[in-house]
Amino acid sequence: MELTPQLVLTVLMGVLLVAVAGWLTRLEDWRSYSPVGGGAHGEGTAHGHAEKPGGITRWLTTVDHKDIGILYLTYSIITLLWGGVTVMLMRFELITPEMDFLNTVGGLLGGIGGATLYNGLLTSHGLTMLFLFAAPMIFAFGNYVIPLLVDADDMAFPRVNAIAFWILPFATFLIWAGYFLKPIGIDVIPAPTSWTMYPPITGKAAAEGSLYMPNPGVDLMLLGLHLSGISTTMGAINFIATIVAERDVAWKDLDIFSWTILTQGGIILFAFPLLGAAIIMLLLDRNFGTTFFTVEGGGTILWQNLFWFFGHPEVYILVLPPMGVLSLLIPKFSGRKLFGFKFVVYSTLAIGVLSFGVWAHHMFTTGMDPRLRASFMAVSLAIAIPSAVKTFNWITTMWNGKLRLTAPMMFCIGALQNFIIGGVTGVFLAAIPFDLLMHDTYYVVGHFHFIVFGMIGFALFAAAYYYFPLLTGRLYNKKLAQWHFWLSIIGGNITFIAMLILGYGGMPRRYATFDLSIVAGNQEALQSLFVSGHGIATLGAVIMAVGQVIWLWNMVQSFRSGKRVEDGDPWNLKETGQFTPEWAWFEQKLQTKLADGGEEDAEADAAQSAD
C-alpha cells in the first residue's frame, strides 16, 4: 500500500479520535459535578451552581445546564452565520447561467474557485445547517429549560453534557477545514461531495481503482461529521436519562416540549450509530482498500440505504422539537390550553416510529423492486397523518382564542404556514409517479427548505424570542422583531416558491451553471425561466438575509442595553393559567435578586421597551 499524505492525515485523525475516546474512559464519576454537584445527587440548590469561577474559565469548565445551553446557543449563531454566507455566495453565482462570480471569490481562498468552490459551499451549507446549527440550537433550549420543566436539579450527566458540547468545535473545524487550510498553502480543499456523500464520488468504483476525490478535505469532513454524531448521541442519552430518571413530575403531567425531546432522543439512538458505521466503512474504502461501497463489494446503493435509513429520521430529529415549541407556545398566546394534548403526544410517538419506514422514498429512481417501492410510498403517505393531526390541533387551539401577536406567536403562525406548504409538497413527492418527474430538481429543494428554514427555523426563532427574557433578564426590541418576521416570511416564500417553479421547469439541483446555449434546439423559453427563477430566488434570499441581520442586531443590542425584566411573568401567563415551571424559577430568581439589592443599570432602564 502506497504511503500518501492523505493516508497519513487520515491515520492521524483516527488516532485523535481514539485518544479522545481513551480520555473519556478515564474520567471518573461522570455523574458528579464540582464544585457543588449535579444531577439529583449534588449538595447544592436546585438549578444553581455556586462558587463558579469568573471570566473565560467559567465557560471553559462549566457543567451547569444553563451555561451549556448558552454555549450551544452562541455556537449555533456562529454556524448560522457561516451557513448563511455559504448560501448567499451560491445564490449570487446562480444569478447568471455561466460560472463567473465564484471564479472571482476563489482567488481569495487560495485558488479554490469555480465548480469546486460551488460544490464545497453546497456541502458545507447542508452539513452546517443540519448538523451544526439546527440540532445544536435545539439542544441549546433543551439544555436550558428541560431540567426546569421536569423539576430536575440539572441534566442527569452534567460532565457528559459538557463533553458533548466541546466535541462540536473540533468537529466543526474538520468539516470546514478546507476553507482555512488551502489559503495558507496546505493542499486541502473543502469537501465537494454534497451533504449526501454518495459513492462512487466519495470513494472509488472498483477496489483497484483510484479515488474520484483523493483530496484529504473529504476525509476530514467525514471525520468531523462522525465527531458531531458522537456529540449528538451523547446529548440524546443525557436528555433521555434526565426526563426518565431525574424528573419530579408524573408522566401525565409531562409537558409537550419534553415529550418531543424524549422522542427525538430515541430516534437519535437508533439513527446516528448507523451513520457513524457507514462513515467508518467509507473511510476504510477510501484509505485501506476495503470494498464496502465498490461494485465488486456492497455496491453504491448500499450507501444510499444506510445513509437514508439515518437521513430521513434525521429530518424528524430536527422537526419534532420545533413541533414541541409550537405546541408549547401557541396555547400561551391563544389564551387556551392545547387542544387534544394526548393526541399531540401520540402523534409525536407515531412519527418517531414511522420515521424509520420511509427512507427508500429518496431512492425511487434507483431501480428498486416495484413492490418495495409501493410499500415505502404507502408508509411515506401514512406519516403525513400524525403531522396533520398536529397541524389541525394547532389551528383548533387558535380558533376563537384571544390571540396576542407577539413576536413568538407571529413566528409560530409563520412556521405553521410554511409547514403546511412544505408538508403538502412532501406528500406529492411521496407519490412514485410524481417523484420520478421531480427527483433531483429544485422542487425537492423548495419543499425541503419550506420545512428546514420555514418550519424549523421559524419555530427556533419563536423560542429565541420567547425565552430571551429568561436567558438574559432583558426585553428585546419589538419593532425590530416585527421587521425580522416580515422580512423572513416574505423572503422565504419568494425564494422557496421560485424553487418549486424552477423544479416544475426541470432545473436540476446542485448545478453551478445552467447555460442552455450548448443544448440542441431552441431553448430560449426554458433558459429565460431558469434565469428569472434564480433571479427571483436570489432576491428572496437577500430579503431573508437582511431579516437575519436585524435579528442578530436585536439580540446583541437587547442583551447589552435592553430594558430589564421587572416581572417574573413577562408574557402574562398567569392570566390564562399557563405559568410553567421555567418561569416560576425565573420569578424566584428575580425575587432573590431584588432581596439582595437588585442591579442598577440606568442605561438599560432608558432603553427601548419590547413586548
Side-chain angles (χ1 to χ4, degrees):
M1 182 184 301
E2 182 182 356
L3 189 65
T4 63
Q6 176 190 356
L7 179 60
V8 172
L9 189 57
T10 303
V11 170
L12 289 175
M13 291 300 102
V15 170
L16 173 63
L17 287 175
V18 173
V20 170
W23 176 71
L24 292 179
T25 59
R26 293 178 61 86
L27 285 179
E28 298 180 3
D29 194 10
W30 282 23
R31 197 177 179 83
S32 69
Y33 172 62
S34 176
V36 177
H41 302 272
E43 299 175 357
T45 305
H47 310 304
H49 298 284
E51 303 175 20
K52 290 181 182 178
I56 191 68
T57 304
R58 167 189 171 181
W59 298 103
L60 292 174
T61 61
T62 184
V63 293
D64 185 340
H65 70 96
K66 298 183 295 299
D67 287 348
I68 293 174
I70 293 172
L71 288 172
Y72 268 112
L73 187 60
T74 305
Y75 166 85
S76 300
I77 292 173
I78 294 171
T79 55
L80 173 62
L81 292 174
W82 179 277
V85 169
T86 56
V87 76
M88 291 309 300
L89 290 174
M90 286 190 289
R91 287 255 48 99
F92 286 138
E93 175 57 54
L94 292 170
I95 292 176
T96 59
E98 301 83 12
M99 178 64 67
D100 43 32
F101 176 72
L102 290 183
N103 284 331
T104 303
V105 175
L108 304 175
L109 295 173
I112 312 170
T116 300
L117 178 56
Y118 183 90
N119 292 333
L121 293 171
L122 177 71
T123 305
S124 178
H125 173 71
L127 294 177
T128 297
M129 300 307 282
L130 293 175
F131 296 95
L132 309 180
F133 163 67
M137 194 162 184
I138 291 168
F139 278 23
F141 295 117
N143 267 281
Y144 204 101
V145 303
I146 287 295
L148 302 177
L149 288 169
V150 303
D151 198 22
D153 287 354
D154 202 307
M155 296 292 285
F157 307 109
R159 291 185 182 275
V160 175
N161 200 26
I163 294 168
F165 169 76
W166 285 110
I167 288 175
L168 279 178
F170 298 99
T172 304
F173 174 77
L174 292 175
I175 293 172
W176 296 350
Y179 296 99
F180 307 119
L181 299 180
K182 183 66 173 178
I184 62 175
I186 300 176
D187 189 23
V188 175
I189 64 172
T193 62
S194 174
W195 77 281
T196 53
M197 302 164 284
Y198 281 179
I201 293 175
T202 50
K204 47 191 174 185
E208 301 302 323
S210 58
L211 290 172
Y212 284 97
M213 294 182 177
N215 195 277
V218 177
D219 300 275
L220 295 179
M221 177 273 291
L222 291 170
L223 288 167
L225 186 58
H226 190 44
L227 271 180
S228 74
I230 293 172
S231 168
T232 302
T233 305
M234 292 171 71
I237 293 171
N238 219 344
F239 280 123
I240 293 172
T242 301
I243 294 171
V244 172
E246 301 293 322
R247 77 182 193 283
D248 196 26
V249 297
W251 283 112
K252 65 181 180 65
D253 298 322
L254 190 65
D255 65 281
I256 189 62
F257 183 62
S258 297
W259 275 111
T260 57
I261 290 289
L262 182 62
T263 307
Q264 178 206 45
I267 300 175
I268 288 172
L269 288 188
F270 285 95
F272 267 88
L274 187 68
L275 174 67
I279 288 174
I280 291 173
M281 288 190 281
L282 185 55
L283 283 169
L284 291 174
D285 274 10
R286 286 180 56 82
N287 296 283
F288 295 99
T290 56
T291 58
F292 290 109
F293 304 118
T294 60
V295 173
E296 63 267 52
T300 57
I301 298 300
L302 174 60
W303 171 268
Q304 292 195 36
N305 277 290
L306 294 175
F307 180 84
W308 288 117
F309 188 83
F310 150 82
H312 204 82
E314 163 71 1
V315 175
Y316 296 104
I317 287 169
L318 298 179
V319 83
L320 280 175
M323 285 178 169
V325 170
L326 264 63
S327 298
L328 186 71
L329 299 191
I330 287 176
K332 301 286 191 294
F333 300 102
S334 299
R336 303 178 58 185
K337 292 184 178 180
L338 179 65
F339 178 82
F341 178 90
K342 289 184 178 180
F343 287 96
V344 177
V345 173
Y346 296 151
S347 65
T348 298
L349 299 175
I351 289 173
V353 173
L354 291 174
S355 67
F356 287 97
V358 300
W359 82 87
H361 71 223
H362 295 274
M363 303 166 58
F364 283 163
T365 60
T366 60
M368 62 190 299
D369 189 316
R371 292 165 296 182
L372 284 175
R373 198 165 62 175
S375 65
F376 279 106
M377 181 181 75
V379 181
S380 298
L381 293 171
I383 203 170
I385 296 174
S387 299
V389 167
K390 293 178 180 291
T391 301
F392 287 118
N393 281 31
W394 294 330
I395 294 173
T396 306
T397 300
M398 292 187 287
W399 193 264
N400 287 334
K402 296 180 180 179
L403 301 187
R404 292 185 290 147
L405 295 181
T406 60
M409 186 60 168
M410 292 171 70
F411 272 94
C412 284
I413 295 173
L416 176 56
Q417 177 247 290
N418 291 327
F419 183 61
I420 291 172
I421 298 176
V424 170
T425 53
V427 169
F428 278 101
L429 286 172
I432 295 171
F434 189 84
D435 183 83
L436 294 177
L437 293 174
M438 292 294 112
H439 183 79
D440 263 352
T441 69
Y442 262 82
Y443 184 92
V444 179
V445 181
H447 150 72
F448 187 63
H449 282 80
F450 262 118
I451 297 296
V452 174
F453 178 80
M455 196 285 178
I456 297 173
F458 270 55
L460 292 175
F461 285 131
Y465 283 116
Y466 180 70
Y467 283 124
F468 187 81
L470 185 81
L471 270 65
T472 67
R474 298 178 184 271
L475 300 172
Y476 59 82
N477 185 295
K478 178 180 178 180
K479 289 184 178 179
L480 291 180
Q482 291 176 338
W483 273 101
H484 176 213
F485 170 76
W486 288 112
L487 289 172
S488 297
I489 194 74
I490 293 171
N493 278 269
I494 289 174
T495 296
F496 305 145
I497 290 175
M499 289 179 174
L500 295 176
I501 296 172
L502 281 168
Y504 278 121
M507 175 69 204
R509 66 194 295 194
R510 305 190 181 112
Y511 273 47
T513 61
F514 49 97
D515 184 4
L516 301 184
S517 62
I518 60 175
V519 180
N522 186 353
Q523 307 291 338
E524 290 184 6
L526 191 58
Q527 182 76 80
S528 177
L529 171 64
F530 288 174
V531 172
S532 300
H534 278 300
I536 293 171
T538 301
L539 173 63
V542 171
I543 295 173
M544 276 193 291
V546 173
Q548 309 328 305
V549 171
I550 290 174
W551 171 74
L552 183 59
W553 174 263
N554 192 4
M555 295 295 98
V556 173
Q557 282 297 103
S558 298
F559 171 73
R560 295 178 59 191
S561 58
K563 183 179 179 181
R564 291 189 179 277
V565 178
E566 299 176 353
D567 185 357
D569 184 17
W571 300 113
N572 297 321
L573 302 177
K574 293 179 179 178
E575 293 181 3
T576 55
Q578 300 194 66
F579 192 66
T580 42
E582 75 272 32
W583 292 107
W585 168 83
F586 180 66
E587 185 176 52
Q588 182 182 9
K589 177 184 174 182
L590 281 183
Q591 291 172 350
T592 303
K593 185 179 294 185
L594 290 173
D596 291 340
E599 298 183 23
E600 296 182 1
D601 193 335
E603 180 182 354
D605 291 339
Q608 289 185 336
S609 177
D611 61 341

